[in-house]
Amino acid sequence: MSAIALPELPAQFVAATLNYGALLPLLIVFGFALIGVLVEAFVPKETRYAVQVAITLIGLIGAFLAVVLVAVNNQTSTAGLASGTGVKGSVVIDGPALFLQGAVLVLSFMGVLTMAERLGGVGSDAFTPMGAATPGSGQEALAVRAGLATSEVFPLALFSIGGMMLFLAAGDLITMFVALEVLSLPLYILVGLARRRRLLSQEASLKYFLLGSFSSAFFLFGTALLFGYSGSVYLSDIADAITNGQSMMNGLLVPGVLLVAVGLLFKIGAVPFHAWVPDAYEGAPTPVTGWMAAATKLAAFGAILRVVYVGIAGDRWDWAPAVTVVAILTMIVGSVLSVTQTDIKRMLAYSSIAHAGFILVGVLAFDRGGVSGVMFYLVCYGLMTIAAFGIVGLVRDQGNQSEATRLTQWAGLGRRHPLTAAIFAFLLLAFAGIPLTSGFTAKFAVFEPALRSGGAGTVMVIVGLLCSAITVFVYVRVIVLMYFNDPQGDTVGVVTPSALTQLAIGAGALLTLVLGVAPSSLLLLADNASQFLR
């Protein structure tokens, strides 16, 4: 019997299949998020929480393996991680996208581990059992007695993670806007679901939502102006229009760039768009605070890098001075105001603002070394942030089990709980950029390209070093408080976490040490992945 000859597939079909195959990590994340929604509808409440945690972690692992697979398949000779586009160029899969998507998944995996902390309870220790209930009401008490668990936080987190991955890989401004909303809307909900200090949590959620809505409007208005300038929303077309200089609407370029920048700078908490950061960080459930500070900042900087280096670099002499001023103000305001804080979550919030300024220094280097330095910094900062907030969530007032976030409550913690205090002190030193921690290597990685560029880059580096010295005082003050001050009473202690939280904190602290002592592998990977595809 003769063999049946199969028809050859058209080249266009093969190319499209490969391009859509590069979207596999995104499809996995959104697919598991939809599975989580079905779990909420059909799985009994007794097992729903455990099932949601398992599904979320499996989905993140699967998506990370898919990122690795796409990266390996796209590996090319000397160009490093390469290249492809999907959905007609709306999603770009290149080196920076793959590197940062993998980083988002790793940080989100650690964040979900801390969100899943139960401390012997029915549901998550950090989240209210009924988000719609009035704080302190009988309805909320009834939900606690009924054993309800806010297990929908996990599919919400997956939707936000998918938005982050799409945000940093978007090849046009409309896709970027859609991704911005997909990542932001679940965060607005998650911020308002804290089990304790519910009114503060709901206030933080409302502030974040309102200011986030304004920033999204600025981004969309800027997109409209850039479309009027170039006739396209694709970043590559905008870059071509700037290079050719033949647009009849030249007056729309700079206002459009600055309005888009407002929407992006809001997400990283840059000054003067930082007002939401301290309130949202303080009011949100502490695991959400850590994950949001790490993953959202990473995704937003990924989008900023793509817009700057792919879309508008050709016009940087017009808009870069304004962003340079923003970077300098962000470093100064974040470091100076962190000195005045009496709440540890607000202190870390202003620290996050200062770090956003440090990272902007690398963005404005306009150099491939600046791109790799920024990506390395984002990974290092994310690891130490999730671990630090994981520890903050364990220090409790033993009377009412509320988190002991006032700095005075941390006095003498080093004597009572030496291991917890030692890990937290190490992470604070990493935030300060002390040698042999990843914080030192990360700051060098972003300051060196900026210093090499000269001019405004040199000024930003000098300001960054001075602000780093200020933050050293802030962090050392907490260490002194833990080890050299007498405890105030016996009401504050450290609860014993589950293995999941221990894994997240231990991994974050260990990698912070490893990337400080032997950072070369990740630096090389970041350098190989620093080439954008237009």
Side-chain angles (χ1 to χ4, degrees):
M1 181 181 294
S2 61
I4 299 176
L6 296 177
E8 292 187 3
L9 295 174
Q12 295 88 343
F13 177 82
V14 175
T17 303
L18 291 175
N19 287 342
Y20 282 98
L23 304 180
L24 182 60
L26 277 170
L27 298 177
I28 291 175
V29 170
F30 284 122
F32 273 84
L34 294 174
I35 293 173
V37 174
L38 295 177
V39 168
E40 283 297 306
F42 297 108
V43 174
K45 68 177 184 180
E46 292 80 10
T47 58
R48 190 182 302 159
Y49 191 84
V51 171
Q52 288 284 29
V53 173
I55 286 175
T56 304
L57 295 178
I58 292 171
L60 293 175
I61 293 172
F64 180 78
L65 294 177
V67 168
V68 174
L69 178 63
V70 173
V72 170
N73 287 340
N74 287 352
Q75 192 81 33
T76 58
S77 60
T78 59
L81 290 176
S83 73
T85 60
V87 200
K88 296 186 177 180
S90 293
V91 181
V92 181
I93 304 300
D94 53 12
L98 291 170
F99 182 93
L100 293 175
Q101 283 183 345
V104 165
L105 291 168
V106 170
L107 296 177
S108 297
F109 184 88
M110 295 173 60
V112 169
L113 292 179
T114 60
M115 291 183 205
E117 179 60 64
R118 305 180 78 165
L119 294 180
V122 176
S124 174
D125 176 73
F127 298 96
T128 177
M130 182 176 287
T134 303
S137 66
Q139 188 181 16
E140 188 176 60
L142 183 63
V144 174
R145 289 196 297 271
L148 298 182
T150 318
S151 51
E152 65 268 21
V153 299
F154 298 104
L156 283 173
L158 280 176
F159 278 118
S160 185
I161 293 164
M164 294 175 191
M165 295 172 65
L166 180 61
F167 191 43
L168 57 86
D172 69 81
L173 294 174
I174 296 299
T175 302
M176 193 171 287
F177 173 76
V178 172
L180 175 63
E181 296 307 299
V182 172
L183 80 89
S184 298
L185 291 174
L187 287 176
Y188 300 150
I189 300 172
L190 292 172
V191 167
L193 294 180
R195 177 184 287 271
R196 304 168 186 88
R197 305 174 76 181
R198 295 274 287 113
L199 286 175
L200 182 64
S201 178
Q202 291 182 349
E203 178 188 350
S205 177
L206 181 60
K207 289 179 179 178
Y208 190 18
F209 168 70
L210 291 176
L211 293 177
S213 299
F214 282 121
S215 73
S216 297
F218 280 114
F219 184 93
L220 200 56
F221 192 18
T223 298
L225 294 181
L226 289 177
F227 176 78
Y229 166 76
S230 64
S232 174
V233 293
Y234 285 89
L235 296 176
S236 57
D237 292 340
I238 295 172
D240 290 339
I242 293 173
T243 302
N244 296 334
Q246 298 177 351
S247 174
M248 301 296 292
M249 300 288 184
N250 288 327
L252 300 180
L253 176 58
V254 174
V257 168
L258 294 179
L259 287 173
V260 167
V262 169
L264 296 174
L265 293 172
F266 172 87
K267 298 307 295 183
I268 65 172
V271 175
F273 318 109
H274 68 292
W276 64 276
V277 175
D279 292 328
Y281 280 34
E282 182 183 17
T286 300
V288 172
T289 304
W291 170 62
M292 181 171 63
T296 305
K297 191 181 295 294
L298 187 148
F301 267 110
I304 288 173
L305 286 172
R306 188 168 299 280
V307 170
V308 167
Y309 284 83
V310 176
I312 61 175
D315 189 53
R316 62 179 180 268
W317 304 114
D318 290 328
W319 56 262
V323 181
T324 299
V325 172
V326 168
I328 292 173
L329 289 176
T330 302
M331 290 185 285
I332 294 174
V333 171
S335 57
V336 171
L337 291 187
S338 63
V339 176
T340 66
Q341 302 307 308
T342 58
D343 184 279
I344 197 155
K345 290 178 75 173
R346 292 184 73 89
M347 184 200 78
L348 291 175
Y350 279 102
S351 166
S352 172
I353 294 171
H355 281 281
F358 299 148
I359 301 172
L360 275 176
V361 174
V363 173
L364 294 172
F366 297 107
D367 179 78
R368 180 170 174 173
V371 175
S372 60
V374 167
M375 294 195 298
F376 179 81
Y377 198 124
L378 291 169
V379 174
C380 295
Y381 175 77
L383 292 170
M384 65 180 82
T385 297
I386 290 178
F389 278 104
I391 291 177
V392 170
L394 300 178
V395 181
R396 303 288 178 88
D397 187 321
Q398 295 178 337
N400 57 17
Q401 285 300 299
S402 63
E403 293 172 354
T405 59
R406 294 196 312 274
L407 285 178
T408 54
Q409 294 178 291
W410 288 62
L413 191 70
R415 304 178 190 177
R416 296 179 176 178
H417 304 278
L419 179 59
T420 301
I423 295 175
F424 193 70
F426 172 72
L427 294 171
L428 290 177
L429 293 176
F431 281 126
I434 301 301
L436 299 183
T437 67
S438 62
F440 173 80
T441 312
K443 285 185 179 178
F444 180 84
V446 295
F447 285 171
E448 190 271 336
L451 191 62
R452 192 172 61 243
S453 67
T458 303
V459 175
M460 287 190 293
V461 170
I462 293 173
V463 174
L465 293 175
L466 294 175
C467 291
S468 296
I470 296 173
T471 59
V472 168
F473 166 78
V474 175
Y475 302 130
V476 171
R477 180 183 61 176
V478 179
I479 297 173
V480 171
L481 192 66
M482 290 192 297
Y483 283 98
F484 298 101
N485 285 33
D486 294 326
Q488 298 182 354
D490 298 323
T491 60
V492 176
V494 176
V495 296
T496 303
S498 68
L500 297 180
T501 302
Q502 292 180 22
L503 176 61
I505 295 173
L510 179 61
L511 290 173
T512 298
L513 176 62
V514 170
L515 293 177
V517 176
S520 57
S521 297
L522 186 60
L523 282 171
L524 181 61
L525 180 61
D527 184 65
N528 289 337
S530 61
Q531 188 66 43
F532 285 97
L533 174 69
R534 282 193 54 185

